[in-house]
Amino acid sequence: MRRAAAVFWALIFSYVVVGAGSFTACAEDLKPRVIVFVHGIHGNHETWRAANGAYWPQLIQTDPHFQQSDVVVAEYPTPSRHGQYSTEQLSQILWQGLKRQRVWDHREVVFVAHSLGGLLTEEMLINHPADAARVRFVVSYATPHQGSFVASLAKIYDSDPLLTDLRDSNDNTFLMDLEDKWRSTATVSRIHRYCAYEALDTSAGEGVGRYLGAHTRVVSYYSATYGCDVDTSPKKINADHIDIVRPADRSSDAYTFFARVYHSNPVINVVENVRDNKVSGLNVDCNRNYATDDLQVPIALDPALHEQLISAEAELVDENKVRDVSPPVVKKIDPNGIAHIAYAFKGKGRNLLLGCPDGHASILVHFHIRGEVPVTE
């Protein structure tokens, strides 16, 4: 009976290896963003290959609409029987593998995760906040955020600790703690989570599958969509738990859903520029001083580009009939676009020919601004 249940579990979650080596497309000069594929339990680099031979990572790599992104396929050890690693251990193995593949050297990181892969990705990001800061979003396909009854069944016959963490029971502390940590951790709670769910039951095939019931919905709609962004509806994929991540071409629902999410969160180029603002009409009587320690000079910032004021310098210009100039100094800046400046000068004084003319000058402020410009692909 133990052997039969193990085979059943393998039939539902395992994948046939039809190629050798993992697919990694990571250029010497890294692109701004990287798309990382993370397989599920008992999966490997062939998880993403459709029956017609189409390989999802390669479909993206050769798609001109993703020209700003490298593609990396992650792998971690989950044998089909009697696995020994916990989710926490596997999340660390996953992180180390991505480090070797230079994923964390990219400016932006996004994830395509299948089943258990979504949970491991979340656990990994919670434990590595510096790297999580680079992550824009995660797209999960049939990830059991509330567990799976199939895992509960298989746990009776297999001691794999992953099955304990994937159970759909009310005392699944791993899943409850994972969601609590995600929502309460600032570095990850800002990351968008988008979800797709399987619409078809998975067939276990002959033998054991017939003994236990031929078709099973591995991850329910509610489990697959729990905790995901509410402003983007979960995507129904007309496939079973295995084929949900095996798009046959670029028009398949799994592919177009990811493409839509990707382009609604475009690659961002960080750009810096200098913009000037001049304050004119600073007049002074011929025999008086003119000084202030808080001249507030604004510059307009574009909120759509998330512009921020980084620094500012000031200079006195258009000087006429002034003396004893104290060069303007920027005392502080406000991120919302105001420079606070101190300066002083005097009138030139009386002149035998001109009498007592007024003096004047202007303050020219150079604002250094950083903004985020979406890239069209």
Side-chain angles (χ1 to χ4, degrees), residues 31 85 106 165 193 222 284 331:
K31 294 180 179 179
Y85 292 105
H106 289 77
D165 292 342
R193 292 188 291 178
Y222 298 102
V284 61
K331 308 296 286 187

Side-chain angles (χ1 to χ4, degrees), residues 9-285:
W9 184 252
L11 283 169
I12 289 184
F13 284 105
S14 64
Y15 304 90
V16 178
V17 177
V18 295
S22 63
F23 179 87
T24 301
C26 202
E28 178 102 13
D29 296 323
L30 300 180
K31 294 180 179 179
R33 175 180 281 182
V34 60
I35 302 168
V36 182
F37 285 79
V38 184
H39 65 75
I41 190 170
H42 306 162
N44 54 38
H45 62 277
E46 287 296 309
T47 289
W48 318 99
R49 192 178 300 280
N52 67 350
Y55 193 54
W56 191 356
Q58 196 164 35
L59 289 174
I60 284 184
Q61 191 208 10
T62 56
D63 188 336
H65 296 99
F66 296 94
Q67 59 186 332
Q68 294 292 314
S69 290
D70 288 318
V71 179
V72 166
V73 176
E75 286 196 274
Y76 55 90
T78 57
S80 60
R81 295 180 60 188
H82 307 304
Q84 300 298 315
Y85 292 105
S86 68
T87 48
E88 185 174 356
Q89 290 171 319
L90 284 180
S91 71
Q92 184 63 13
I93 291 172
L94 174 62
W95 177 81
Q96 291 171 344
L98 297 184
K99 186 176 182 180
R100 287 192 297 270
Q101 291 172 290
R102 299 184 64 194
V103 163
W104 308 119
D105 293 340
H106 289 77
R107 192 169 72 239
E108 296 184 14
V109 183
V110 302
F111 286 91
V112 178
H114 179 225
S115 194
L116 171 69
L119 303 179
L120 293 183
T121 297
E122 293 178 9
E123 176 83 6
M124 173 184 66
L125 296 179
I126 290 170
N127 293 331
H128 295 277
D131 295 320
R134 301 177 182 274
V135 178
R136 292 287 301 280
F137 60 86
V138 178
V139 185
S140 295
Y141 290 78
T143 290
H145 291 101
Q146 291 185 320
S148 168
F149 94 93
V150 178
S152 300
L153 176 64
K155 182 60 183 171
I156 299 173
Y157 309 103
D158 195 325
S159 60
D160 190 333
L162 293 177
L163 300 179
T164 300
D165 292 342
L166 292 174
R167 293 173 303 130
D168 65 339
S169 63
N170 292 329
D171 62 348
N172 189 328
T173 57
F174 165 72
L175 290 178
M176 290 188 290
D177 290 346
L178 180 66
E179 186 64 23
D180 286 344
K181 285 187 293 185
W182 183 275
R183 297 188 185 198
S184 61
T185 304
T187 52
V188 296
S189 60
R190 60 162 190 84
I191 298 173
H192 294 291
R193 292 188 291 178
Y194 304 103
C195 296
Y197 62 96
E198 62 208 61
L200 301 179
D201 292 347
T202 299
S203 175
E206 298 296 324
V208 176
R210 185 167 57 245
Y211 173 74
L212 295 174
H215 294 82
T216 306
R217 189 68 53 90
V218 177
V219 178
S220 71
Y221 166 84
Y222 298 102
S223 185
T225 61
Y226 180 72
C228 294
D229 280 25
V230 296
D231 59 349
T232 300
S233 298
K235 178 63 177 178
K236 175 182 176 181
I237 307 295
N238 195 36
D240 64 18
H241 188 75
I242 295 174
D243 288 338
I244 191 173
V245 290
R246 293 179 168 179
D249 51 45
R250 295 191 181 108
S251 64
S252 299
D253 285 346
Y255 192 96
T256 59
F257 177 59
F258 174 75
R260 177 164 60 86
V261 168
Y262 179 98
H263 291 106
S264 66
N265 295 271
V267 175
I268 297 298
N269 274 343
V270 178
V271 297
E272 295 189 8
N273 61 77
V274 178
R275 295 206 291 269
D276 295 342
N277 191 10
K278 185 165 74 172
V279 178
S280 304
L282 304 177
N283 300 316
V284 61
D285 291 343

